[in-house]
Amino acid sequence: MFRRARPGPDMDAAELSPWRMAAYALPAIPVAFLYLPLPILVPPFYAQHLGLSLTSMALFLFAARIFDFVIDPLLGRWSDRTRTRWGRRRPWMMAGAPLMMGGAAMVFLPPSSVTGWYLMVAMVTIYLGASMLGVAYSAWGAEVVRSYHGRARLAGFRETATLIGTLIAAGVPSITAIWGHGIDRFTMSIIGWGVLLLTPPAVWIAIRSVPDSPMPISTAAPQPLRTMLAQVYANLPFRLLCIAFTVLTIGVSITNTLLVFFISHYLGQPALVGPVLGLSFLCVLLFVPVWVRISGRIGKHRAAGISLMIAVLGSAVFAFMLRPGDGYWFLALMAVLGAASAAFLTLPVGIMGDVIDYDTMKNGEQRGGLFFGVWAFAQQISPAIGLAATLPLIEWLGFTPGGPNSPEALQALRYVYCFGPLPFYLIGALLLLRFPIDARRHRIIRARLDTRRARAERQAPGDQSPPLSQQRLEELPA
């Protein structure tokens, strides 16, 4: 079924060839089908075609996300503790894929009459499957490549695949619009079938082509989950990265939630929804290698922070200057913002591997699954917070998806769309710019981990000599 992991030395970027990196990246394509439709297309579809109110939909979607508060860290921990002849991560990916597919069928191919409870159950199903697949998948990527810049390259492959999937999903509304379809049942069914058809071959190719990482040699006794979560929280680089990513994702969620409404109702050009989505994500795809190269010169965290500052300028200044009918100017603006956002959409996941190495150096145990479980919760709860706050707010301000809307309601939509994400982008950018692990510090961390592994492999049975001293990040030498 699986190709058994081969024992051998730690993998590095040089040992994972480009075609294996590409094979590893393939599952990101069907998973990416969820990134665009869930926050951007599901609310307008369920509001305008299935009759759910914005406020009730926001509450049910938020309740579905709360489920991840418990399950994601547990999935990460279980993945860390899994020991099979096929490795730790790949069995979880194979178990999560069909569950995610079932949830996708429920969300994108719903019956003619649904309630908020149906939407919540469907979203819980798709989130659980995506978490089982995604947490193990992300931890696997942090382990099969171990160098600072190698992880940036692997993140580039993975996020390129993510953007290809997002671009395909974004292209569906553009194509269906040719036949007169908007964000309706026909359009959503095509996206759902895309998930169902692409997931099995993508996951299969990845697990057949990329070996699992070597089983870690732990220098610490197993600890209770509560203790480990406390240690995860005490990890300053992870805390900074997680807070920054959570905050900036809330801002992205506000933008995504209102994007279709802003184009269709404020600008008054609903036919541009598909082109805007397609062009913006195409620019993200094209600029991923550019930002990976920039990050090689200035660091991943600085590149991500600078890209966020560009997003602030575009959202707060240029988008606010647009008036109804300026849809093509908005199209050009979204192309620029897509090119800028390639950095903060791509690079934080690559930084996670560096954070996990630091934790391994301090605590003597490789716990990538636990870290990515907590990370996945932050990644998933942030859009829910943004959506749960944004939809009731614009409804309270008088906006209705079906219209008609007063000029005051449309102006309220404009202000929330342009200025709502602003503080979240600024805070995220400042935290990323202060991130402490750069290429120099990671080389030191990596050298100490390699020395520890070499010592553990040479150590005779029964030898109780202590492991290498554990040092705080700020104590690493220049």
Side-chain angles (χ1 to χ4, degrees), residues 6-54:
R6 297 178 181 177
D10 292 345
M11 295 180 185
D12 204 341
E15 297 173 14
L16 201 61
S17 63
W19 78 266
R20 288 185 185 272
M21 287 190 176
Y24 165 81
L26 283 179
I29 294 177
V31 172
F33 270 63
L34 310 181
Y35 293 157
L36 172 72
L38 292 183
I40 299 179
L41 303 182
V42 164
F45 172 61
Y46 275 79
Q48 295 176 2
H49 295 275
L50 298 177
L52 296 186
S53 72
L54 294 179

Coordinates of all heavy atoms in Angstrom, one line a residue, residues 6-54:
R6 N 12.6 4.4 4.1 CA 14.0 3.9 4.1 C 14.8 4.5 5.2 O 14.8 5.7 5.4 CB 14.7 4.2 2.8 CG 14.0 3.5 1.6 CD 14.7 3.9 0.3 NE 14.1 3.3 -0.9 CZ 14.5 3.5 -2.1 NH1 15.5 4.3 -2.3 NH2 13.8 3.0 -3.1
P7 N 15.5 3.7 6.0 CA 16.3 4.3 7.0 C 17.5 5.0 6.3 O 17.9 4.6 5.3 CB 16.8 3.0 7.8 CG 16.7 1.9 6.9 CD 15.5 2.2 5.9
G8 N 18.0 5.9 7.0 CA 19.2 6.6 6.5 C 19.4 7.9 7.2 O 18.8 8.2 8.2
P9 N 20.4 8.7 6.7 CA 20.7 10.0 7.4 C 19.6 11.0 7.2 O 18.7 10.8 6.4 CB 22.0 10.4 6.7 CG 21.8 9.8 5.3 CD 21.2 8.5 5.5
D10 N 19.7 12.0 8.0 CA 18.7 13.1 7.9 C 18.6 13.6 6.5 O 19.6 13.8 5.9 CB 19.0 14.2 8.9 CG 18.8 13.8 10.3 OD1 18.2 12.8 10.6 OD2 19.4 14.5 11.2
M11 N 17.4 13.9 6.1 CA 17.3 14.5 4.7 C 17.6 16.0 4.8 O 17.4 16.7 5.8 CB 15.9 14.3 4.2 CG 15.5 12.8 4.1 SD 13.9 12.6 3.5 CE 13.7 10.9 3.5
D12 N 18.0 16.5 3.7 CA 18.2 17.9 3.5 C 17.7 18.3 2.1 O 17.3 17.5 1.4 CB 19.7 18.3 3.6 CG 20.0 19.7 4.1 OD1 19.0 20.5 3.9 OD2 21.1 20.0 4.5
A13 N 17.8 19.6 1.8 CA 17.3 20.0 0.5 C 17.9 19.3 -0.6 O 17.3 19.0 -1.6 CB 17.4 21.6 0.4
A14 N 19.2 19.0 -0.5 CA 20.0 18.4 -1.5 C 19.5 16.9 -1.7 O 19.6 16.4 -2.8 CB 21.5 18.4 -1.2
E15 N 19.0 16.3 -0.6 CA 18.6 14.9 -0.7 C 17.1 14.8 -1.2 O 16.7 13.7 -1.6 CB 18.7 14.2 0.6 CG 20.2 14.2 1.1 CD 20.3 13.7 2.5 OE1 19.3 13.1 3.0 OE2 21.4 13.8 3.1
L16 N 16.4 15.8 -1.1 CA 15.0 15.8 -1.6 C 15.0 16.6 -3.0 O 15.1 17.8 -3.0 CB 14.1 16.5 -0.6 CG 12.6 16.1 -0.8 CD1 12.4 14.6 -0.5 CD2 11.7 16.9 0.2
S17 N 15.0 15.8 -4.1 CA 15.1 16.4 -5.4 C 13.9 17.2 -5.7 O 12.9 17.1 -5.1 CB 15.3 15.2 -6.4 OG 14.1 14.5 -6.4
P18 N 14.1 18.1 -6.7 CA 12.9 18.9 -7.1 C 11.7 18.2 -7.5 O 10.6 18.6 -7.2 CB 13.5 19.7 -8.3 CG 15.0 19.8 -8.1 CD 15.3 18.5 -7.5
W19 N 11.8 17.0 -8.2 CA 10.6 16.3 -8.5 C 10.0 15.7 -7.3 O 8.7 15.6 -7.3 CB 10.9 15.2 -9.6 CG 11.6 14.0 -9.1 CD1 12.9 13.7 -9.1 CD2 10.9 12.8 -8.6 NE1 13.1 12.4 -8.6 CE2 11.9 11.8 -8.3 CE3 9.5 12.5 -8.4 CZ2 11.5 10.6 -7.8 CZ3 9.2 11.2 -7.9 CH2 10.2 10.3 -7.6
R20 N 10.8 15.3 -6.3 CA 10.1 14.8 -5.0 C 9.5 16.0 -4.3 O 8.4 15.8 -3.6 CB 11.2 14.1 -4.2 CG 11.6 12.8 -4.7 CD 12.6 12.1 -3.7 NE 13.1 10.8 -4.3 CZ 12.5 9.6 -4.2 NH1 11.3 9.6 -3.5 NH2 13.0 8.6 -4.7
M21 N 10.1 17.1 -4.3 CA 9.4 18.3 -3.7 C 8.1 18.6 -4.4 O 7.1 18.9 -3.8 CB 10.3 19.5 -3.8 CG 11.5 19.5 -2.9 SD 12.3 21.2 -2.9 CE 13.6 20.9 -1.6
A22 N 8.1 18.4 -5.7 CA 6.9 18.7 -6.5 C 5.8 17.6 -6.1 O 4.6 17.9 -6.0 CB 7.1 18.6 -8.0
A23 N 6.3 16.3 -6.0 CA 5.3 15.3 -5.6 C 4.8 15.5 -4.2 O 3.6 15.3 -3.9 CB 6.1 13.9 -5.6
Y24 N 5.7 16.0 -3.3 CA 5.2 16.3 -1.9 C 4.1 17.4 -2.0 O 3.2 17.4 -1.2 CB 6.4 16.8 -1.1 CG 5.9 17.5 0.2 CD1 5.5 16.7 1.3 CD2 5.9 18.9 0.3 CE1 5.1 17.4 2.5 CE2 5.4 19.5 1.4 CZ 5.0 18.8 2.5 OH 4.6 19.4 3.6
A25 N 4.3 18.4 -2.9 CA 3.4 19.5 -2.9 C 2.0 19.2 -3.5 O 1.1 20.0 -3.3 CB 4.0 20.6 -3.8
L26 N 1.8 18.1 -4.2 CA 0.6 17.8 -4.9 C -0.7 17.8 -4.0 O -1.7 18.4 -4.4 CB 0.7 16.5 -5.6 CG 1.5 16.5 -6.9 CD1 1.5 15.1 -7.5 CD2 0.9 17.4 -7.9
P27 N -0.7 17.3 -2.8 CA -1.9 17.3 -2.0 C -2.4 18.7 -1.7 O -3.6 18.9 -1.4 CB -1.5 16.6 -0.7 CG -0.4 15.6 -1.1 CD 0.3 16.4 -2.2
A28 N -1.5 19.7 -1.8 CA -1.9 21.1 -1.5 C -2.9 21.6 -2.6 O -3.6 22.5 -2.3 CB -0.7 22.0 -1.5
I29 N -2.9 21.0 -3.7 CA -3.8 21.4 -4.8 C -5.3 21.2 -4.4 O -6.1 22.2 -4.4 CB -3.5 20.8 -6.1 CG1 -2.1 21.2 -6.6 CG2 -4.5 21.1 -7.2 CD1 -1.6 20.6 -7.9
P30 N -5.7 20.0 -4.1 CA -7.1 19.8 -3.7 C -7.5 20.5 -2.4 O -8.6 21.1 -2.2 CB -7.3 18.3 -3.6 CG -6.0 17.8 -3.4 CD -5.0 18.7 -4.2
V31 N -6.5 20.5 -1.4 CA -6.8 21.2 -0.2 C -7.0 22.7 -0.5 O -7.9 23.4 0.2 CB -5.7 21.0 0.8 CG1 -5.8 21.9 2.0 CG2 -5.6 19.6 1.2
A32 N -6.3 23.3 -1.4 CA -6.5 24.7 -1.8 C -7.9 25.0 -2.3 O -8.3 26.2 -2.2 CB -5.4 25.1 -2.8
F33 N -8.6 24.0 -2.8 CA -10.0 24.3 -3.3 C -10.8 24.7 -2.1 O -11.9 25.3 -2.3 CB -10.5 23.0 -3.9 CG -10.3 22.9 -5.3 CD1 -9.0 22.8 -5.9 CD2 -11.4 22.8 -6.2 CE1 -8.8 22.7 -7.2 CE2 -11.2 22.7 -7.6 CZ -9.9 22.6 -8.1
L34 N -10.4 24.4 -0.9 CA -11.2 24.8 0.3 C -10.8 26.2 0.7 O -11.7 26.9 1.3 CB -10.9 23.8 1.5 CG -11.0 22.3 1.1 CD1 -10.8 21.5 2.4 CD2 -12.4 22.0 0.6
Y35 N -9.6 26.7 0.5 CA -9.2 28.0 0.9 C -10.0 29.1 0.3 O -10.4 30.1 1.0 CB -7.7 28.2 0.6 CG -6.8 27.3 1.4 CD1 -5.5 27.1 0.9 CD2 -7.2 26.7 2.6 CE1 -4.6 26.3 1.6 CE2 -6.3 25.9 3.3 CZ -5.0 25.7 2.8 OH -4.2 24.9 3.5
L36 N -10.2 29.1 -1.0 CA -11.0 30.1 -1.7 C -12.5 30.0 -1.4 O -13.1 31.0 -1.0 CB -10.7 30.1 -3.2 CG -11.5 31.0 -4.0 CD1 -11.1 32.5 -3.8 CD2 -11.4 30.7 -5.5
P37 N -13.1 28.8 -1.7 CA -14.6 28.8 -1.6 C -15.1 29.0 -0.2 O -16.2 29.6 0.0 CB -14.9 27.4 -2.1 CG -13.8 27.0 -3.0 CD -12.6 27.6 -2.3
L38 N -14.5 28.3 0.8 CA -15.1 28.4 2.2 C -15.2 29.8 2.7 O -16.3 30.1 3.2 CB -14.2 27.5 3.1 CG -14.3 26.0 2.8 CD1 -13.5 25.2 3.9 CD2 -15.7 25.5 2.8
P39 N -14.2 30.6 2.7 CA -14.4 32.0 3.2 C -15.0 33.0 2.2 O -15.7 33.9 2.7 CB -13.0 32.4 3.6 CG -12.1 31.7 2.7 CD -12.8 30.4 2.4
I40 N -14.8 32.8 0.9 CA -15.2 33.8 0.0 C -16.6 33.4 -0.7 O -17.4 34.3 -0.9 CB -14.2 33.9 -1.1 CG1 -12.9 34.4 -0.5 CG2 -14.6 34.9 -2.2 CD1 -11.7 34.6 -1.4
L41 N -16.8 32.2 -1.1 CA -17.9 31.8 -1.9 C -19.1 31.2 -1.1 O -20.2 31.3 -1.5 CB -17.5 30.9 -3.0 CG -16.4 31.4 -4.0 CD1 -16.1 30.3 -5.0 CD2 -16.8 32.7 -4.6
V42 N -18.7 30.5 0.0 CA -19.8 29.8 0.7 C -20.8 30.8 1.4 O -22.0 30.6 1.2 CB -19.2 28.8 1.8 CG1 -20.2 28.5 2.8 CG2 -18.6 27.6 1.1
P43 N -20.3 31.9 2.0 CA -21.3 32.8 2.6 C -22.3 33.4 1.5 O -23.5 33.4 1.8 CB -20.5 33.9 3.3 CG -19.2 33.2 3.6 CD -19.0 32.2 2.5
P44 N -21.8 33.9 0.4 CA -22.8 34.4 -0.6 C -23.7 33.3 -1.1 O -24.9 33.6 -1.3 CB -21.9 35.0 -1.7 CG -20.6 35.3 -1.1 CD -20.4 34.3 0.0
F45 N -23.2 32.1 -1.4 CA -24.0 31.1 -1.9 C -25.1 30.7 -0.9 O -26.3 30.6 -1.3 CB -23.1 29.9 -2.2 CG -23.8 28.6 -2.6 CD1 -24.6 28.6 -3.7 CD2 -23.7 27.5 -1.9 CE1 -25.3 27.5 -4.1 CE2 -24.4 26.3 -2.2 CZ -25.2 26.3 -3.3
Y46 N -24.7 30.4 0.3 CA -25.8 30.0 1.3 C -26.7 31.1 1.7 O -27.9 30.8 2.0 CB -25.1 29.4 2.5 CG -24.7 27.9 2.4 CD1 -23.6 27.5 1.7 CD2 -25.5 26.9 2.9 CE1 -23.3 26.2 1.5 CE2 -25.2 25.6 2.8 CZ -24.1 25.2 2.1 OH -23.7 23.9 1.9
A47 N -26.3 32.4 1.5 CA -27.2 33.5 1.8 C -28.1 33.8 0.7 O -29.3 33.9 0.9 CB -26.3 34.7 2.2
Q48 N -27.6 33.8 -0.5 CA -28.4 34.3 -1.7 C -29.2 33.2 -2.3 O -30.3 33.4 -2.8 CB -27.5 34.9 -2.7 CG -26.8 36.2 -2.2 CD -25.8 36.7 -3.3 OE1 -25.7 36.2 -4.3 NE2 -25.2 37.8 -2.9
H49 N -28.7 31.9 -2.2 CA -29.4 30.8 -2.9 C -30.1 29.8 -2.0 O -31.0 29.1 -2.5 CB -28.4 30.1 -3.9 CG -27.9 31.0 -5.0 ND1 -28.6 31.1 -6.2 CD2 -26.8 31.7 -5.1 CE1 -27.9 32.0 -7.0 NE2 -26.8 32.3 -6.3
L50 N -29.6 29.7 -0.8 CA -30.2 28.8 0.2 C -30.9 29.4 1.3 O -31.5 28.8 2.2 CB -29.2 27.8 0.7 CG -28.5 26.9 -0.4 CD1 -27.4 26.1 0.1 CD2 -29.5 26.1 -1.1
G51 N -30.9 30.8 1.4 CA -31.8 31.5 2.3 C -31.3 31.6 3.7 O -32.1 32.1 4.6
L52 N -30.0 31.3 4.0 CA -29.5 31.5 5.4 C -29.2 33.0 5.6 O -28.6 33.7 4.8 CB -28.3 30.6 5.7 CG -28.5 29.1 5.6 CD1 -27.2 28.4 6.0 CD2 -29.7 28.7 6.4
S53 N -29.5 33.5 6.8 CA -29.1 34.9 7.2 C -27.7 35.0 7.5 O -27.0 34.0 7.9 CB -29.9 35.4 8.4 OG -29.5 34.7 9.6
L54 N -27.1 36.2 7.3 CA -25.7 36.4 7.5 C -25.3 36.1 9.0 O -24.3 35.5 9.3 CB -25.3 37.8 7.1 CG -25.4 38.1 5.6 CD1 -25.0 39.6 5.4 CD2 -24.5 37.2 4.8

